[in-house]
Amino acid sequence: MNTNADLAAALDGIGPRLQRIRTGRGLTLAEVAELAGTSASTVSRLESGLRRPSLELLFPLARAYGMTLDDLVGAPEFGDPRVQLRPRRRNGRIVIPLSRNPGGVQAWKVVMPVEHGPGPLRTHDGSEWIYVLSGQIRLVVGKRDLVLGQGEVADFDTRTPHWFGATGDAPAEILSLFDRNGARVHIPEANDAGEGATARP
């Protein structure tokens, strides 16, 4: 393995990678610059390769995108082929990223404690597919209020107000596929139109 060549290739690819991440999330240069506390021209020059990437510039971008620095720049891994899972805790839930595809479909494992009653319903661009690994979850999408058990699947347009969380007597674990671009894993049938969610065993 030529380590220097791999590092050089990674550095050369940072600009296009930053652009793919930004456009894949539907963000403008100005929006990313505001999140990262820098200027739109700096972000643009990084993406076009006219500005040399530095830790001082990349760390704020990694925070803005909610990514590790390694994932942001696509740093090569040497020796160990295993994916390094880095669990995160969000709102009492343990979230484990299972993919490294910033511009496309994101895969997550989520461990959720039991919650009493739905929280605020959220809306955002994209679509989500969830598979219940264990326990039960309550899923509210639009006017639908569903309980899904182990082995059940649901997918929905995240532009519809929604919330999900563990219900019953024990925590729940799910697999989640989220696509910010809105490509549906499941194409709803005619009688699903307007309901916002489809659930099936």
Side-chain angles (χ1 to χ4, degrees):
M1 176 182 294
N2 189 331
T3 300
N4 291 334
D6 288 340
L7 288 174
L11 288 173
D12 289 342
I14 287 176
R17 182 178 178 84
L18 292 176
Q19 185 177 46
R20 287 195 301 272
I21 292 171
R22 178 179 60 79
T23 57
R25 298 188 178 199
L27 297 173
T28 65
L29 290 168
E31 289 170 334
V32 171
E34 183 177 355
L35 289 170
T38 187
S39 68
S41 63
T42 296
V43 178
S44 176
R45 288 169 64 83
L46 280 171
E47 290 184 356
S48 63
L50 297 176
R51 180 76 181 264
R52 183 176 178 82
S54 66
L55 292 179
E56 181 182 4
L57 296 173
L58 294 175
F59 269 127
L61 285 174
R63 286 196 301 268
Y65 288 127
M67 302 172 67
T68 66
L69 188 61
D70 283 353
D71 288 342
L72 179 73
V73 302
E77 295 184 4
F78 304 107
D80 193 342
R82 294 173 295 181
V83 175
Q84 301 300 314
L85 304 179
R86 299 180 179 92
R88 308 168 189 171
R89 187 172 290 276
R90 292 182 180 172
N91 301 320
R93 302 178 177 188
I94 299 174
V95 180
I96 306 169
L98 302 177
S99 63
R100 293 186 175 184
N101 187 21
V105 177
Q106 299 289 302
W108 310 85
K109 179 180 179 181
V110 185
V111 182
M112 301 177 289
V114 175
E115 300 180 50
H116 301 287
L121 304 188
R122 301 174 53 215
T123 61
H124 49 86
D125 288 340
S127 64
E128 189 157 3
W129 174 96
I130 55 178
Y131 173 84
V132 183
L133 292 168
S134 65
Q136 290 185 323
I137 70 164
R138 181 180 178 186
L139 171 65
V140 179
V141 181
K143 296 180 180 180
R144 290 195 170 184
D145 192 337
L146 309 168
V147 173
L148 282 70
Q150 181 177 346
E152 289 192 287
V153 177
D155 62 284
F156 52 93
D157 187 329
T158 54
R159 292 172 298 182
T160 303
H162 63 278
W163 174 90
F164 57 84
T167 189
D169 300 324
E173 297 186 14
I174 66 167
L175 288 179
S176 167
L177 297 181
F178 172 66
D179 184 358
R180 190 176 297 274
N181 297 318
R184 299 299 300 275
V185 176
H186 165 74
I187 300 175
E189 298 176 0
N191 59 6
D192 290 328
E195 295 292 347
T198 300
R200 56 190 183 278

